[in-house]
Amino acid sequence: MTKAISRSEPGAGHPFLTFLNTVADDGKTRRIDSFQNATVLVRLLKEEGFAAPSEPVTPMQLRKILTLRETAYAAFSAIAAGRAPGREDGLYLTEALKAVYQDAEIGIGDTGLTVAASPLGRVYEQLVLSMDELLRSDQFGRLRECRRCTHLFIDKGRGVGRRWCSMSRCGNRAKAESFRARQRHAA
């Protein structure tokens, strides 16, 4: 997961993006999960502020969660690159939102509209609602993808902006590779 290493090392910028980044990606592959099982994934999500489920995540629920992760990643990656998401990805995410809103607890109060996962509080529902919150946020327009790996983040900087998910994870490697390439070219 993309976690801040120090105060100067930014994270993903939103809990849903941290979920999308739960891959041990060293390149552009997304082949290996950064967690061993559903229990570890739930622990990582709890660290990001998601509520613990009332019951253990089943293998079927985990597959559904991972399908959400990869479908949302494909759509968000396209958006970060300035392209429209794929039609099937958009349809899947739309249907996920509709299904979760059908069971969600919706309230109107002095702070406005509140939407929460159903009383069962399944992880999948919380993730879909977190995705919805990110999509509606004013920061979504600052969505970026790391130039070296597939991790997504919200660029909160000024100026040119971030190019890597974190300097310690990808930035230093990219700079070292660039330096070695310049040295080879000069020789």
Side-chain angles (χ1 to χ4, degrees), residues 56-178:
V57 174
T58 66
M60 189 170 81
Q61 289 170 332
L62 182 59
R63 281 192 299 278
K64 190 173 178 180
I65 289 168
L66 295 180
T67 298
L68 172 66
R69 181 186 70 185
E70 294 309 310
T71 305
Y73 167 76
F76 284 31
S77 177
I79 292 166
R83 299 184 319 267
R87 184 178 182 329
E88 288 185 17
D89 296 333
L91 288 173
Y92 177 88
L93 297 177
T94 299
E95 290 305 313
L97 284 164
K98 287 178 182 178
V100 168
Y101 265 96
Q102 186 173 1
D103 293 334
E105 290 186 342
I106 299 174
I108 298 174
D110 57 353
T111 59
L113 183 70
T114 59
V115 182
S118 68
L120 296 176
R122 295 188 312 243
V123 174
Y124 178 83
E125 291 175 332
Q126 292 179 60
L127 290 167
V128 171
L129 290 174
S130 179
M131 176 186 70
D132 182 50
E133 189 272 326
L134 173 61
L135 287 166
R136 292 172 186 268
S137 78
D138 58 348
Q139 293 186 346
F140 189 69
R142 300 191 65 129
L143 179 69
R144 304 288 184 269
E145 183 172 342
C146 180
R147 287 187 179 177
R148 192 168 191 287
C149 72
T150 61
H151 285 197
L152 295 166
F153 58 91
I154 299 294
D155 181 6
K156 296 181 181 179
R158 296 179 294 184
V160 175
R162 284 170 59 188
R163 292 181 257 174
W164 303 290
C165 56
S166 74
M167 188 54 105
S168 64
R169 179 179 159 77
C170 288
N172 288 338
R173 290 180 194 169
K175 286 183 175 191
E177 289 168 1
S178 176

Side-chain angles (χ1 to χ4, degrees), residues 11 16 19 22 28 34 47 53 68 92 104-105 132 164 187:
F16 187 73
F19 163 66
T22 56
K28 294 285 187 183
S34 61
E47 291 172 8
L68 172 66
Y92 177 88
E105 290 186 342
D132 182 50
W164 303 290

